[in-house]
Amino acid sequence: MRKIRYGMATMAAGAALVLSACGGGSGSEGGGGGETGGGGEKVRIGIKYDQPGLGFSSSGQFSGFDVDVAKYVAKELGYTEDQIEFVESPSANRENMLANNQVDMIFATYSITDERKKTVDFAGPYFVAGQDLLVRADDTEITGPDSLNGKNLCSVTGSTSAQRIKDEHASNVNLVERPSYAECVTAMQGGQIDAVTTDDIILAGLAAQPNNAGKYKVVGNPFSEENYGVGLPKGTDKCADINAAINKMVEDGSWDEALKKNTEGVDYSYNKELNPPKPTEACA
């Protein structure tokens, strides 16, 4: 399969075609892709702004595994870093943002599901996560969801992950909600809760933050499977090129390097039976 590459000399001529295929177009700032200082069109990439280790924004700087994968893929599609416009993409808004031409693609812990595929195309997956638990580093009692009876378990408001544990694994667990996972971790530090639950890589990213170093661990007993995909407008023809870029990132070691960098200092190991993923040419 031939990847699409664009030299700077031909960027202006080819950019309209590229962004049209990705759901974008030329236009003013905040609408379709606008001109950058480099003379080429922007690519607008949706990420999370509040998930340390995955998608995080601080003082205009963007970091995390999702961000690193997005930059690699964009480069393979012919964009330089200064042509990337990162756009905050909250979970509840992702489908609408793609449908309304607010972004060209989304890298934001976006699980591929049959329901979402009715309105969105997915390239990938670029990572396969699993629901897990974050506990204090010295905790020896909590080894998985079945050991949570009588414990205080935190997840974010509106999430179904904690309720899943109560329904399927530990009916006597006490559920606690906080507006963000960071606030769950703060509550655990204060002794108000015993564990936090969500996808394992999100937990690892939280534990890897400098102020949390050495204090927490991911239990390492995932009990679900979440395929993180690249969200694209329905009917795109970009899945093959994006999947080729993901496979190249895996093959040249950049995928593993990015994952290690963003979970450094955490006792965390991803599921090696499912990762690294090997997306096919077609949309997932």
Side-chain angles (χ1 to χ4, degrees):
M1 177 181 51
R2 179 172 62 86
K3 304 181 185 67
I4 299 178
R5 296 179 180 273
Y6 299 91
M8 291 302 295
T10 59
M11 181 64 74
L17 177 60
V18 174
L19 284 183
S20 176
C22 284
S26 60
S28 61
E29 189 76 15
E35 288 291 329
T36 68
E41 296 285 346
K42 292 179 181 178
V43 59
R44 300 158 302 162
I45 300 179
I47 61 169
K48 295 289 183 67
Y49 277 17
D50 59 353
Q51 285 188 340
L54 283 155
F56 190 69
S57 173
S58 177
S59 303
Q61 300 298 310
F62 303 98
S63 62
F65 180 68
D66 283 356
V67 172
D68 289 341
V69 177
K71 287 180 177 179
Y72 191 103
V73 168
K75 181 179 179 181
E76 288 299 302
L77 292 178
Y79 296 99
T80 59
E81 277 199 31
D82 63 358
Q83 290 173 293
I84 298 173
E85 178 186 344
F86 285 116
V87 181
E88 184 173 16
S89 300
S91 295
N93 299 347
R94 290 175 298 199
E95 286 82 14
N96 285 338
M97 292 181 75
L98 287 166
N100 296 332
N101 191 31
Q102 294 172 267
V103 292
D104 300 307
M105 57 186 76
I106 292 179
F107 295 74
T109 60
Y110 203 0
S111 295
I112 301 169
T113 68
D114 289 339
E115 184 64 26
R116 287 171 176 161
K117 286 194 288 185
K118 294 176 181 178
T119 56
V120 172
D121 279 344
F122 286 99
Y126 61 90
F127 187 80
V128 184
Q131 187 178 344
D132 210 325
L133 304 168
L134 186 73
V135 299
R136 285 179 284 271
D138 60 356
D139 191 313
T140 59
E141 294 184 9
I142 299 176
T143 57
D146 297 320
S147 59
L148 286 169
N149 279 311
K151 304 293 186 181
N152 296 323
L153 175 67
C154 190
S155 192
V156 298
T157 304
S159 170
T160 60
S161 55
Q163 187 63 47
R164 179 189 299 172
I165 290 176
K166 189 176 183 69
D167 292 342
E168 300 177 9
H169 298 278
S171 59
N172 291 324
V173 67
N174 303 310
L175 303 185
V176 180
E177 290 188 340
R178 290 289 186 271
S180 70
Y181 291 114
E183 292 182 58
C184 282
V185 174
T186 299
M188 183 158 57
Q189 184 175 0
Q192 301 168 34
I193 66 163
D194 302 296
V196 184
T197 189
T198 187
D199 294 349
D200 54 357
I201 191 172
I202 297 176
L203 298 174
L206 286 166
Q209 297 311 292
N211 58 328
N212 294 332
K215 297 178 182 178
Y216 308 103
K217 64 181 179 181
V218 181
V219 169
N221 186 15
F223 46 96
S224 73
E225 188 175 312
E226 305 293 338
N227 290 273
Y228 289 173
V230 183
L232 298 163
K234 196 68 177 174
T236 183
D237 64 355
K238 290 296 160 191
C239 286
D241 296 306
I242 293 172
N243 286 341
I246 294 169
N247 283 320
K248 182 178 177 181
M249 187 178 187
V250 170
E251 291 164 4
D252 69 17
S254 299
W255 183 92
D256 195 57
E257 181 181 337
L259 194 59
K260 288 178 179 177
K261 179 186 74 174
N262 289 294
T263 58
E264 186 176 3
V266 182
D267 184 13
Y268 167 72
S269 179
Y270 57 80
N271 188 329
K272 292 180 173 57
E273 294 182 3
L274 301 175
N275 288 294
K278 298 178 181 179
T280 63
E281 293 188 12
C283 292

